[in-house]
């Protein structure tokens, strides 16, 4: 099954004109919004609208009413609009004011196979799944019958090469937080074993209860400027994307390495970018060499929240090699990049590492969060990595539906080839509008570009019926679902052309 997921399922004709026809709709699905469905390759199961349709400003009056209502009980500053989930379909989100938009952000990259996908709805309609949906067990105490088989057929089916164990979690931050804990545990156990100790000493046990050495270790995780790894307490010390995430929160004094700032287009700046990556690699090595308590590092294949910053596979290979030489554990944060969008199932596969990462974290499009590890990273005792739920069985059922769609409809190839259309179209727009749009970059559909007037462009794109998000200081980032095709890319590019023309 993994071979099928990795294999190219079909070739697309990215520049072919769109054709239109109706699709058979399941009786259990909500009615389509107004227009006939669009035929695209791969087609969204059950069909979807032909394009955007804006009735009001967005947010409209009904969204504003709901925001005021919600604001009575919680902070709502980040709410963009309220979604009519029943009317939303495929790649198109419909808000409560009836505006239909091409969704280029897919709930912060977490909606993998679109709105109201019949295969996902079937998970909740299948009577065989009812008991798993009705009970949320304490998974590491009382897992349901069939849990081991389901883990094998889903999470281990797509495990990164070389990683043999998986630990489920609640969210991406939880995954990164506990992956760091497993680094500390593995390193401490290895260092004890190297001195002939079979386990912790009485002094370690006692001192740990009052947050003192030797039980509380001085271990550190190295991270990178521009990184985002979550908002839990430990993760904030390895997050460096926006001050608002960190302001007023106590933090660990851990080392932060520079991340390459590449110059685009890449083909015209080969030597400068190679020198920049060598500079950053040398700085990372110096930080590891300066402090034996640096026992791990964590890195994103693409620094998403920090501005969609990229580095070459060569940079990551050298970084992995430097960590291995120094006995520093290597964590790859694939929370946003994992599950197909990069044009590979895992973005770090493009690095072609000789030595796999020690841990790979995931969430978002995978529906369930967690991390994969090598065998030597597994905790030596129960309750060292633990919480009440340790994930949710229903999310594994949802992942099962995602993987079936990926395999059946060739969504890995689609991400790669649609990404080429998306990136190529943005490069053409950058050539047409110099000084307005620049630094086009990306892998698969994880595509971004910088704008001179980024915030205005995002607002005007939404008025055109395209909902896209920003990151970093000047970037917009594309994070569509996996059924986003060249036809959808053209809808976006046409709208963006109109916006840039007015700016």
């Amino acid at each position: 099954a993994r071979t099928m997921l990795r294999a190219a399922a079909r070739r697309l004709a990215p520049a072919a004109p769109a054709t239109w026809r109706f699709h058979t709709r399941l009786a259990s699905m909500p009615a389509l919004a107004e227009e006939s469905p669009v035929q695209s390759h791969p087609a969204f199961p059950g069909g979807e609208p032909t394009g955007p349709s804006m009735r009001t400003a967005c947010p409209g009056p009904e969204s504003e009413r709901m925001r005021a209502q919600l604001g009575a009980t919680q902070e709502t500053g980040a709410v963009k609009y309220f979604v009519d989930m029943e009317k939303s379909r495929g790649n198109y989100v419909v808000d409560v004011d009836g505006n239909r938009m091409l969704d280029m952000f897919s709930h912060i990259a977490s909606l993998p196979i679109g709105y109201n996908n019949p295969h996902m709805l079937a998970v909740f309609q299948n009577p065989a799944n009812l008991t798993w949906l009705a009970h949320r067990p304490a998974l590491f105490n009382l897992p349901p019958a069939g849990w081991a088989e389901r883990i094998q057929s889903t999470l281990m089916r797509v495990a990164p090469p070389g990683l043999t164990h998986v630990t489920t979690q609640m969210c991406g931050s939880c995954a990164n937080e506990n992956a760091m804990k497993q680094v500390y545990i593995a390193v401490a156990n290895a260092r004890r074993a190297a001195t002939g100790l079979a386990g912790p000493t009485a002094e370690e046990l006692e001192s740990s209860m009052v947050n003192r050495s030797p039980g509380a270790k001085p271990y550190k995780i190295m991270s990178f400027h521009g990184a985002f790894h979550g908002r839990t307490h430990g993760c904030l010390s390895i997050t460096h994307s926006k001050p608002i995430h960190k302001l007023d929160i106590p933090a660990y004094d851990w080392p932060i390495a520079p991340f390459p700032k590449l110059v685009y287009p890449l083909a015209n700046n080969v030597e400068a970018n190679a020198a920049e990556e060598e500079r950053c690699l040398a700085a990372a090595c110096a930080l590891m060499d300066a402090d034996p308590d640096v026992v791990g590092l964590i890195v994103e294949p693409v620094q998403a929240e920090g501005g969609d910053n990229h580095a070459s596979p060569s940079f990551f290979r050298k970084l992995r090699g430097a960590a291995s030489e120094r006995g520093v554990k290597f964590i790859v944060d694939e929370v946003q990049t994992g599950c197909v969008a990069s044009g590979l199932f895992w973005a770090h596969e493009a690095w072609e590492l000789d030595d796999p990462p020690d841990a790979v974290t995931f969430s978002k499009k995978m529906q369930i969060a967690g991390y994969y590890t090598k065998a030597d990273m597994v905790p030596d005792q129960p309750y060292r990595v633990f919480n009440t739920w340790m994930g949710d069985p229903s999310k594994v059922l949802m992942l099962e539906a995602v993987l079936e769609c990926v395999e059946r409809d060739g969504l890995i190839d689609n991400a790669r080839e649609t990404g080429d259309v998306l990136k190529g179209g943005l490069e053409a727009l950058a050539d047409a509008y110099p000084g307005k749009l620049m630094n086009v970059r990306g892998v698969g559909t994880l595509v971004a570009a910088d704008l001179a007037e980024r915030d205005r462009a995002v607002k005007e794109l939404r008025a055109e019926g395209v909902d896209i998000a920003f990151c970093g200081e000047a970037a917009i980032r594309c994070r569509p679902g996996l059924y986003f095709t060249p036809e959808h890319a053209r809808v976006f590019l046409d709208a963006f052309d109109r916006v840039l023309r007015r700016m």
Side-chain angles (χ1 to χ4, degrees):
R2 179 192 287 179
T3 301
M4 296 180 69
L5 281 168
R6 300 279 191 260
R10 70 176 78 182
R11 298 298 298 172
L12 299 176
T19 57
W20 316 91
R21 69 173 178 84
F22 283 95
H23 295 275
T24 303
R25 179 171 63 86
L26 298 184
S28 59
M29 292 179 63
L32 283 172
E34 298 179 7
E35 295 188 24
S36 304
V38 57
Q39 169 70 30
S40 56
H41 305 283
F44 179 76
E48 62 180 347
T50 59
S53 174
M54 301 301 289
R55 294 181 174 180
T56 72
C58 183
E62 186 61 10
S63 273
E64 294 291 15
R65 184 193 69 79
M66 291 183 175
R67 187 206 303 269
Q69 182 183 32
L70 185 61
T73 55
Q74 63 181 239
E75 194 277 318
T76 60
V79 173
K80 297 194 292 185
Y81 52 83
F82 284 76
V83 178
D84 188 330
M85 290 293 185
E86 190 169 330
K87 291 182 181 177
S88 300
R89 184 63 47 78
N91 291 276
Y92 288 92
V93 58
V94 178
D95 72 6
V96 292
D97 290 280
N99 297 306
R100 184 172 67 239
M101 294 164 278
L102 180 64
D103 191 347
M104 296 282 289
F105 201 41
S106 61
H107 294 258
I108 319 180
S110 69
L111 191 71
I113 53 175
Y115 294 95
N116 287 303
N117 189 306
H119 301 289
M120 185 64 79
L121 296 180
V123 170
F124 297 88
Q125 297 161 345
N126 186 347
N129 294 336
L130 183 59
T131 54
W132 277 33
L133 298 172
H135 302 88
R136 190 171 187 182
L139 277 172
F140 272 42
N141 281 150
L142 300 163
W147 181 239
E149 292 85 352
R150 219 74 182 232
I151 290 291
Q152 284 294 329
S153 66
T154 55
L155 288 166
M156 295 312 298
R157 175 182 174 187
V158 293
L163 303 190
T164 57
H165 288 68
V166 66
T167 301
T168 50
Q169 288 289 336
M170 307 295 299
C171 65
S173 297
C174 304
N176 286 328
E177 193 89 19
N178 284 285
M180 289 191 290
K181 285 173 60 179
Q182 288 201 199
V183 165
Y184 308 144
I185 293 167
V187 169
N189 285 338
R191 291 184 178 181
R192 287 191 194 100
T195 61
L197 291 174
T201 65
E203 184 184 10
E204 285 180 306
L205 295 172
E206 292 172 8
S207 61
S208 71
M209 297 302 293
V210 290
N211 305 331
R212 300 287 178 85
S213 179
K217 304 301 184 188
Y219 296 158
K220 302 171 184 177
I221 300 290
M222 186 178 75
S223 53
F224 289 84
H225 287 289
F228 180 86
H229 298 290
R231 293 179 173 88
T232 52
H233 200 177
C235 285
L236 282 175
S237 290
I238 53 172
T239 287
H240 317 287
S241 53
K242 292 178 182 176
I244 195 62
H245 300 151
K246 300 167 68 71
L247 182 67
D248 300 328
I249 312 300
Y252 296 113
D253 186 15
W254 288 350
I256 312 167
F259 192 83
K261 295 182 179 180
L262 301 185
V263 183
Y264 296 89
L266 295 177
N268 297 346
N269 296 280
V270 174
E271 291 185 5
N273 288 334
E276 169 67 358
E277 290 190 338
E278 287 300 321
R279 178 188 73 84
C280 294
L281 185 65
C285 290
L287 289 170
M288 289 187 281
D289 290 339
D291 192 344
D293 289 326
V294 176
V295 296
L297 69 82
I298 186 167
V299 68
E300 302 158 275
V302 178
Q303 285 191 334
E305 181 70 17
D308 258 38
N309 306 316
H310 291 256
S312 71
S314 174
F315 170 79
F316 290 109
R317 281 194 297 271
K318 291 177 181 178
L319 181 66
R320 205 299 171 245
S324 297
E325 290 169 3
R326 293 161 173 81
V328 172
K329 299 294 186 183
F330 191 78
I331 305 171
V332 178
D333 178 351
E334 290 250 26
V335 167
Q336 187 159 147
T337 56
C339 194
V340 175
S342 70
L344 296 167
F345 198 93
W346 301 106
H348 79 270
E349 290 182 272
W351 306 344
E352 298 182 338
L353 299 177
D354 293 328
D355 183 11
D358 295 288
V360 173
T361 61
F362 59 86
S363 187
K364 292 190 182 286
K365 284 184 174 66
M366 293 287 281
Q367 304 302 281
I368 191 166
Y371 49 92
Y372 298 95
T373 66
K374 293 180 176 178
D376 65 359
M377 287 273 288
V378 177
D380 54 330
Q381 297 180 59
Y383 295 103
R384 303 207 70 182
V385 172
F386 190 87
N387 58 53
T388 298
W389 285 324
M390 292 296 288
D392 182 344
S394 70
K395 305 307 179 189
V396 171
L397 298 177
M398 296 170 71
L399 172 61
E400 194 168 61
V402 172
L403 297 183
E404 288 170 358
C405 289
V406 168
E407 182 176 311
R408 183 188 57 251
D409 290 336
L411 299 185
I412 294 177
D413 266 4
N414 180 60
R416 183 164 52 250
E417 297 179 21
T418 300
D420 289 343
V421 174
L422 188 58
K423 188 177 174 183
L426 285 171
E427 288 171 341
L429 289 175
D431 289 340
Y433 300 102
K436 296 183 181 181
L437 181 69
M438 65 232 41
N439 300 331
V440 177
R441 55 200 182 271
V443 290
T445 55
L446 303 174
V447 175
D450 295 338
L451 286 113
E453 298 181 77
R454 188 267 311 276
D455 293 357
R456 175 186 170 188
V458 170
K459 183 177 180 180
E460 293 200 18
L461 276 168
R462 193 182 302 169
E464 290 278 350
V466 174
D467 190 18
I468 199 166
F470 54 79
C471 59
E473 296 180 357
I476 57 167
R477 55 174 159 166
C478 303
R479 294 294 184 272
L482 302 181
Y483 280 97
F484 186 85
T485 67
E487 287 82 0
H488 301 105
R490 280 190 286 273
V491 171
F492 161 63
L493 293 167
D494 287 346
F496 203 12
D497 185 22
R498 293 190 294 273
V499 167
L500 290 167
R501 199 176 306 148
R502 293 194 297 266
M503 291 177 65

